[in-house]
């Protein structure tokens, strides 16, 4: 069809007899007779290791090294996409571990890291094609839900709370305590930064309420 750029390699994926995909890179040269393409001569080489290296690099770029869920950079890319390119209804849930500093100060950072990893596992159970779960800070997690409504976002937060409660009942050493805030908008373009700020404000409002409630209980 004359649409191939023969100056560039042609990357191909083939499936072998065992059902495994293998990657190949082919450099080709067209052969003409009387101005008509009659054949293509090529040199083909296996690039499985090169593709695996690329995939590993992309994974490390977009995933948190401690928890292996999405990282802040990937989350920000999704924020930018919905803020500038894709307009849809969107919800954000921001979560903050309540006692990570206490764990680090009293039991060491190893135990603090264990708490972060367990919290990430619980939250990542709710990831899906339209729900992105990411660690965006030391003890902060963000959940971005696209193509949704406010009721679904509120239900998701309730489901997360139940899952944390279930985890705490079964766990003998690590207890997850988390504050969360939500925000929702029917349109995403131009609204993502404000939406994030609102979820952040709601999260810290809940955290403050918990501290005041705890102080009141101690005074009583």
């Amino acid at each position: 069809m004359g649409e191939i750029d023969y100056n560039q390699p042609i990357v191909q994926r083939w499936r072998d007899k065992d059902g495994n995909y293998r990657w190949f890179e082919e450099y080709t040269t067209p052969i003409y007779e009387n101005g008509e393409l009659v054949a293509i001569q090529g040199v083909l080489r296996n690039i499985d290791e090169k593709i695996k290296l690329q995939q590993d690099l992309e994974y490390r770029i977009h995933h948190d090294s401690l928890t292996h869920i999405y990282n802040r950079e990937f989350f920000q890319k999704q924020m930018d996409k919905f803020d500038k390119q894709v307009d849809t209804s969107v919800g954000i849930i921001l979560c903050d571990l309540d006692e990570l500093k206490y764990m680090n100060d009293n039991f060491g950072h190893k135990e603090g890291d264990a708490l972060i990893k367990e919290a990430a596992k619980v939250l990542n159970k709710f990831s899906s094609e339209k729900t992105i779960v990411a660690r965006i800070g030391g003890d902060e997690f963000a959940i971005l839900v696209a193509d949704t409504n406010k009721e679904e976002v509120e239900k998701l937060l309730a489901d997360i709370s139940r899952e944390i409660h279930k985890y705490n009942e079964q766990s003998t050493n690590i207890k997850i305590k988390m504050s969360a805030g939500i925000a929702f908008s029917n349109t995403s373009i131009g609204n993502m930064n404000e939406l994030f700020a609102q979820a952040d404000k709601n999260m810290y409002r809940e955290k403050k309420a918990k501290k005041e409630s705890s102080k009141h209980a101690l005074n009583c």
Side-chain angles (χ1 to χ4, degrees):
M1 297 175 64
E3 297 178 356
I4 295 178
D5 182 0
Y6 294 104
N7 294 316
Q8 300 295 325
I10 302 171
V11 177
Q12 307 166 39
R13 188 181 73 167
W14 294 8
R15 189 161 59 186
D16 63 21
K17 60 183 178 64
D18 298 320
N20 301 314
Y21 283 106
R22 309 293 301 276
W23 290 87
F24 297 89
E25 186 176 69
E26 183 177 14
Y27 288 87
T28 58
T29 303
I31 299 174
Y32 296 93
E33 286 185 4
N34 300 321
E36 182 180 349
L37 179 67
V38 295
I40 296 176
Q41 177 178 292
V43 177
L44 195 71
R45 70 186 182 105
N46 178 262
I47 57 168
D48 284 349
E49 291 186 3
K50 177 182 177 182
I51 294 297
K52 185 178 184 305
L53 183 63
Q54 290 177 346
Q55 291 173 340
D56 289 345
L57 180 60
E58 289 175 3
Y59 181 90
R60 288 197 296 269
I61 289 173
H62 291 146
H63 289 78
D64 176 57
S65 60
L66 178 64
T67 62
H68 304 293
I69 65 174
Y70 287 121
N71 59 18
R72 187 182 189 93
E73 181 177 355
F74 182 81
F75 179 80
Q76 189 58 54
K77 284 183 178 180
Q78 298 305 304
M79 288 276 290
D80 292 342
K81 180 180 77 172
F82 289 116
D83 193 61
K84 299 174 182 177
Q85 301 172 14
V86 179
D87 193 20
T88 184
S89 57
V90 63
I92 291 178
I93 302 175
L94 293 185
C95 306
D96 186 271
L97 291 172
D98 291 335
E99 297 185 355
L100 179 61
K101 186 178 186 303
Y102 175 84
M103 285 284 283
N104 287 334
D105 292 345
N106 291 275
F107 302 101
H109 286 272
K110 185 176 181 179
E111 291 301 315
D113 287 349
L115 172 61
I116 292 170
K117 288 191 283 187
E118 290 303 299
K121 287 179 185 177
V122 172
L123 293 177
N124 205 40
K125 289 181 180 181
F126 298 92
S127 65
S128 65
E129 287 186 4
K130 71 174 189 177
T131 304
I132 296 167
V133 179
R135 182 188 178 204
I136 61 171
D139 57 357
E140 289 185 293
F141 299 88
I143 301 172
L144 192 155
V145 190
D147 189 23
T148 186
N149 56 57
K150 188 176 182 180
E151 289 73 23
E152 284 185 355
V153 179
E154 291 173 342
K155 181 180 181 301
L156 175 58
L157 181 56
D159 290 343
I160 290 171
S161 297
R162 279 192 291 269
E163 191 66 26
I164 290 174
H165 179 73
K166 179 181 175 183
Y167 173 90
N168 288 338
E169 284 186 328
Q170 297 173 349
S171 176
T172 58
N173 54 342
I174 294 178
K175 303 298 181 182
I176 300 173
K177 296 181 180 179
M178 187 179 288
S179 297
I182 69 172
F184 172 80
S185 175
N186 286 310
T187 59
S188 60
I189 288 184
N191 292 322
M192 296 305 294
N193 290 332
E194 182 180 346
L195 200 64
F196 185 93
Q198 185 62 48
D200 191 56
K201 182 179 179 181
N202 291 336
M203 179 188 70
Y204 278 102
R205 182 183 292 124
E206 178 176 317
K207 185 177 283 288
K208 182 180 179 182
K210 284 183 178 179
K211 288 181 179 179
E212 291 177 352
S213 177
S214 178
K215 289 180 181 179
H216 179 73
L218 289 174
N219 292 332
C220 292

